[in-house]
Amino acid sequence: MKRISYGDHPSQFAELHLPDSASPVPVVVVVHGGFWQQRYDLGLGRPLAEDLTRHGVAAWNVEYRRIGGGGGWPATLLDVSGALDALVRLEDPRLDLTRLVTLGHSAGGHLAVWAAARHDAVTGAVAQAGVLDFRLDPEITRRAAELLGGDPEQVPDRYRLSSPAELVPIGRPVVCVHGDADSTVPLAQSESFQRAARAAGDPVDLVRVPGAGHMDLVELGTPGWEASRDAVLRLVGATGPE
């Protein structure tokens, strides 16, 4: 694993995890969740990145400025885009950047799908219990207001530019993986996004994981993580362990 900075702020860095491979490998950009709050960091994504390398793909585990640590609107979003720019600039011959998928959990799922809509290098996204519709649920809207600096009536343009449900068509394949026992980010978040995206012509799949709660999707060895990893490998065209 190699740590690479993409800016001057202490939270502007990413970790590159590489599998043993004689040929270029696809890349998964791992974006951790935590409702965009400073108390959560990329340590949440490190086990996922390491597991992905065991399945033959590289992982770019991204840290970013969060609320309480220089983040919020627009810094958090700009950092995810900046981390992708830095990955492309590496020009590392070990990486096949024609197969570059974002993977994010919870608020990281928001950022993963936002990046798929906004960054040319991204070829697909997997949202694990993603926060995908900022207006749908009062608690989600409250959390989004912390990120965006106001509620939908106060800063409507920020919601329009940030909420994945309002960015459709994304223009790239998206897979939503969501547990049907999630009490933190309701399954309705993924269901609502899928409806909006499909109505706009996007190929969005929804994988429901029976009995899975919010954190089950990022726990190695669980059906939730295995469904998430399978979705990633399908999008990048990888076959699994060497």
Side-chain angles (χ1 to χ4, degrees):
M1 184 269 288
K2 181 178 182 181
R3 173 172 166 152
I4 299 170
S5 295
Y6 63 86
D8 296 331
H9 191 278
S11 292
Q12 291 176 314
F13 69 94
E15 296 173 348
L16 181 61
H17 299 253
L18 286 164
D20 292 328
S21 176
S23 57
V25 294
V27 186
V28 180
V29 178
V30 179
V31 190
H32 72 83
F35 279 114
W36 312 283
Q37 297 288 329
Q38 176 69 14
R39 63 182 178 273
Y40 302 99
D41 65 21
L42 87 172
L44 293 169
R46 197 172 287 138
L48 312 185
E50 293 169 350
D51 189 56
L52 287 166
T53 64
R54 291 192 287 269
H55 287 73
V57 300
W60 181 243
N61 187 26
V62 173
E63 190 56 279
Y64 52 89
R65 287 174 289 177
R66 288 141 286 149
I67 300 165
W73 173 270
T76 296
L77 301 173
L78 293 176
D79 277 4
V80 174
S81 183
L84 282 161
D85 289 341
L87 175 63
V88 173
R89 286 197 302 270
L90 289 178
E91 296 183 342
D92 191 321
R94 297 170 295 182
L95 306 178
D96 179 0
L97 295 181
T98 68
R99 296 185 287 166
L100 192 161
V101 168
T102 54
L103 166 71
H105 176 248
S106 194
H110 155 246
L111 295 169
V113 177
W114 178 88
R118 295 297 187 184
H119 201 285
D120 290 341
V122 179
T123 60
V126 176
Q128 306 166 278
V131 181
L132 302 176
D133 191 335
F134 286 1
R135 300 177 191 264
L136 182 64
D137 178 89
E139 179 61 18
I140 296 298
T141 302
R142 182 183 72 80
R143 295 286 198 163
E146 295 174 347
L147 173 71
L148 300 180
D151 62 33
E153 289 70 36
Q154 293 169 319
V155 288
D157 286 348
R158 296 182 184 182
Y159 283 77
R160 181 177 56 81
L161 294 170
S162 303
S163 179
E166 299 184 48
L167 293 176
V168 296
I170 304 300
R172 293 167 176 83
V174 176
V175 180
C176 300
V177 182
H178 217 124
D180 65 7
D182 193 328
S183 59
T184 303
V185 177
L187 175 60
Q189 283 285 306
S190 289
E191 293 173 330
S192 174
F193 173 74
Q194 185 192 39
R195 285 194 300 270
R198 285 190 168 180
D202 273 336
V204 173
D205 292 333
L206 172 55
V207 179
R208 296 174 178 84
V209 185
H214 191 62
M215 297 305 294
D216 292 334
L217 275 62
V218 290
E219 292 290 337
L220 300 191
T222 64
W225 168 242
E226 291 174 0
S228 302
R229 186 185 62 213
D230 288 349
V232 166
L233 296 178
R234 175 160 56 88
L235 287 183
V236 299
T239 56
E242 298 275 326

